[in-house]
Amino acid sequence: MESTSPLKSVTITTDKPPPPAEQTTASPRTMDLSDSPTTQPPPPPTADPQPLADDPLNNPYASLNDLCHDLTSLQDLTSRGSWLTILDKVSRARSLSLLTKPHEHLLYLTFNALALTKLRRFVDAIAELDSLEDLKSPQYLYQNYPHIYPNITGSMVPFALRWLHAELPSKHNKRQKTLDRFYTLLDFVRTKLTDKSSEKLSDSSAELWRKREVFVMNSIISHHLSHKEFGICIDLIRDLINRSESESLDSRTMLLSKLGYVQMQYGDLEGAKGTFGFIENLVKEGNGEVELRNLVSRNKALMYMVGKDYISAVREYEECMERDGTDVVAINNKAICLMYLRDLSDSIKVLESALERIPTMALNETLVVNLCSMYELAYVNHSDIKRTLSSWIARVAPDDFDSSCTRM
């Protein structure tokens, strides 16, 4: 018999699952708390449709494959989580000298480093990036290759590569270097946004850089949050909210929700309640879509869970599921509430049904570790049941799925 209760591994979920490294050791928490915000995967390496980096959406190429050798295939493999295949394709392209232009080498290196990172091969990913010069080097400027890129200026470094350059040192116990690089990257992004005022960027490109600003800020907040630096997190989120007053309702409500989640972790329940109430009023005034109404309901459910009113929380999550049957956050959290209500049979059915009905969306380490915890509580022969689950996961999961979450 194990000396620790499986309840210690139960993870209540937020809008996106937390990183695998946190899942098997985390105390019970909500997905809305843990993802607000956790470290997120970088955008695809072609987030800047190269090569016009100064205005990344002003692209002279007709297709991704015109931009770079077999890029469409790499993008497709990325969306399917086929990271091992990406490593093979990059290795083959390099060995056969299929990459003929400087920006193609950078794009393939980015895909390779991203795949290594997703597969948790951090030492190899860091070594890949160490093979580069400083990202500000003239070597990575289009104008230094006029015979290859006539009339094109700017940096050819993909944004995803800049993100990896900042994130990877933290995987080698160099947190301060990661924070320094992320703040430098934030300055870089905001410099791009100032170009909008001087009309150097189109509106669509400015919108892309605003999304990147939020993305980088989320990464910074994640690192501060992991060290319980709540005051810094709240200041950063409020600064981002102030900068987004002209943004869409969706953007503002998501940022405000992040503020509420951090307030909850900080212990400021009244502050979180006020933030969530403000969000609800915004959504009512704006006749919010299903996604926003579900966000409001999930926020309410969180407050009920803090007060241990699991019946009311289940009701809110069920409303979410009625509006959107693929709301994995609501599905997972409803199951956790049922477990706390000592209805293990129904809590297991909720998660198993989700895996059968929407496997692509529901299959994440958070949900699986919770399901396995329920198996351990409910069944004497839980090892056999988990073994069956593990076999199914091995057939359908992406390459970066952390199979240790089944605790076999």
Side-chain angles (χ1 to χ4, degrees):
M1 178 179 294
E2 297 181 7
S3 59
T4 57
S5 167
L7 276 176
K8 289 186 179 294
S9 299
V10 168
T11 306
I12 306 165
T13 51
T14 64
D15 295 334
K16 298 186 183 80
E22 297 181 6
Q23 286 152 1
T24 57
T25 59
S27 300
R29 65 185 187 272
T30 70
M31 193 181 262
D32 289 308
L33 291 178
S34 63
D35 181 58
S36 58
T38 54
T39 301
Q40 305 174 24
T46 52
D48 276 334
Q50 305 290 331
L52 288 184
D54 284 339
D55 189 350
L57 296 185
N58 184 13
N59 187 356
Y61 292 101
S63 70
L64 288 177
N65 287 341
D66 289 336
L67 168 60
C68 182
H69 170 74
D70 210 15
L71 192 54
T72 300
S73 174
L74 286 174
Q75 289 283 72
D76 180 60
L77 291 170
T78 299
S79 67
R80 292 192 278 117
S82 300
W83 305 108
L84 293 172
T85 306
I86 288 175
L87 293 181
D88 289 340
K89 287 185 73 69
V90 171
S91 177
R92 180 176 181 276
R94 287 171 169 175
S95 64
L96 297 179
S97 300
L98 299 177
L99 310 177
T100 59
K101 298 179 180 179
H103 80 276
E104 291 181 330
H105 287 282
L106 270 183
L107 278 172
Y108 267 67
L109 183 144
T110 304
F111 273 104
N112 208 52
L114 177 58
L116 291 168
T117 301
K118 295 293 288 184
L119 294 169
R120 295 174 288 282
R121 292 170 53 182
F122 302 121
V123 173
D124 293 336
I126 291 171
E128 187 82 355
L129 265 65
D130 284 346
S131 68
L132 296 172
E133 300 291 332
D134 186 291
L135 297 184
K136 297 179 181 179
S137 169
Q139 178 180 345
Y140 304 130
L141 296 176
Y142 289 110
Q143 57 265 37
N144 286 337
Y145 305 90
H147 57 294
I148 301 176
Y149 311 108
N151 303 318
I152 298 177
T153 62
S155 173
M156 63 180 73
V157 178
F159 180 74
L161 183 56
R162 297 181 187 277
W163 187 92
L164 288 167
H165 177 257
E167 175 65 23
L168 280 172
S170 68
K171 307 301 182 182
H172 218 244
N173 297 318
K174 295 180 180 178
R175 173 179 178 259
Q176 191 56 52
K177 178 179 282 190
T178 280
L179 283 173
D180 291 344
R181 288 182 176 180
F182 268 129
Y183 278 108
T184 300
L185 181 56
L186 182 62
D187 289 340
F188 172 80
V189 172
R190 287 179 172 170
T191 298
K192 292 293 183 182
L193 284 171
T194 60
D195 289 343
K196 176 64 174 68
S197 59
S198 58
E199 299 183 352
K200 292 182 180 179
L201 288 182
S202 64
D203 289 340
S204 55
S205 292
E207 176 62 23
L208 175 61
W209 284 107
R210 278 193 292 269
K211 289 179 179 179
R212 290 171 173 176
E213 179 188 26
V214 174
F215 186 86
V216 174
M217 283 285 276
N218 281 342
S219 298
I220 292 171
I221 293 166
S222 171
H223 284 283
H224 286 301
L225 194 58
S226 67
H227 283 71
K228 299 184 178 181
E229 296 167 347
F230 300 116
I232 297 175
C233 294
I234 289 174
D235 289 343
L236 289 170
I237 295 172
R238 283 177 172 159
D239 175 61
L240 200 52
I241 290 170
N242 291 335
R243 291 172 177 270
S244 65
E245 289 182 352
S246 61
E247 299 297 317
S248 66
L249 180 63
D250 288 28
S251 298
R252 284 183 291 141
T253 52
M254 290 302 296
L255 288 172
L256 286 165
S257 289
K258 292 177 189 298
L259 176 61
Y261 305 148
V262 175
Q263 288 171 319
M264 290 186 76
Q265 293 195 60
Y266 187 63
D268 182 9
L269 299 184
E270 286 302 314
K273 185 177 180 180
T275 299
F276 292 152
F278 183 71
I279 293 169
E280 184 174 6
N281 290 333
L282 281 178
V283 173
K284 285 180 179 178
E285 292 173 5
N287 296 317
E289 300 295 329
V290 168
E291 184 178 351
L292 290 180
R293 283 184 282 152
N294 276 17
L295 178 64
V296 169
S297 293
R298 292 197 301 267
N299 290 343
K300 287 182 178 179
L302 281 176
M303 296 306 298
Y304 284 133
M305 293 184 74
V306 170
K308 298 186 179 181
D309 184 358
Y310 300 118
I311 293 176
S312 296
V314 167
R315 184 171 61 248
E316 293 292 341
Y317 288 129
E318 286 177 341
E319 289 182 8
C320 293
M321 293 163 64
E322 288 173 5
R323 287 189 290 258
D324 178 7
T326 64
D327 189 334
V328 178
V329 177
I331 291 168
N332 184 84
N333 290 2
K334 176 188 174 182
I336 298 303
C337 290
L338 291 172
M339 185 193 69
Y340 286 142
L341 290 169
R342 301 184 181 183
D343 188 355
L344 274 173
S345 177
D346 280 350
S347 66
I348 289 172
K349 287 179 183 177
V350 168
L351 297 187
E352 288 182 336
S353 173
L355 288 173
E356 292 173 2
R357 187 169 49 85
I358 48 171
T360 303
M361 301 182 69
L363 184 57
N364 63 69
E365 291 90 346
T366 302
L367 189 145
V368 170
V369 78
N370 286 340
L371 179 57
C372 289
S373 295
M374 294 170 190
Y375 285 153
E376 292 167 10
L377 289 168
Y379 303 119
V380 174
N381 64 331
H382 59 78
S383 293
D384 293 337
I385 298 172
K386 291 195 295 180
R387 191 171 293 111
T388 300
L389 176 64
S390 295
S391 298
W392 176 78
I393 289 172
R395 295 196 303 272
V396 302
D399 293 339
D400 58 317
F401 189 87
D402 187 358
S403 59
S404 67
C405 67
T406 60
R407 299 197 297 276
M408 289 298 298

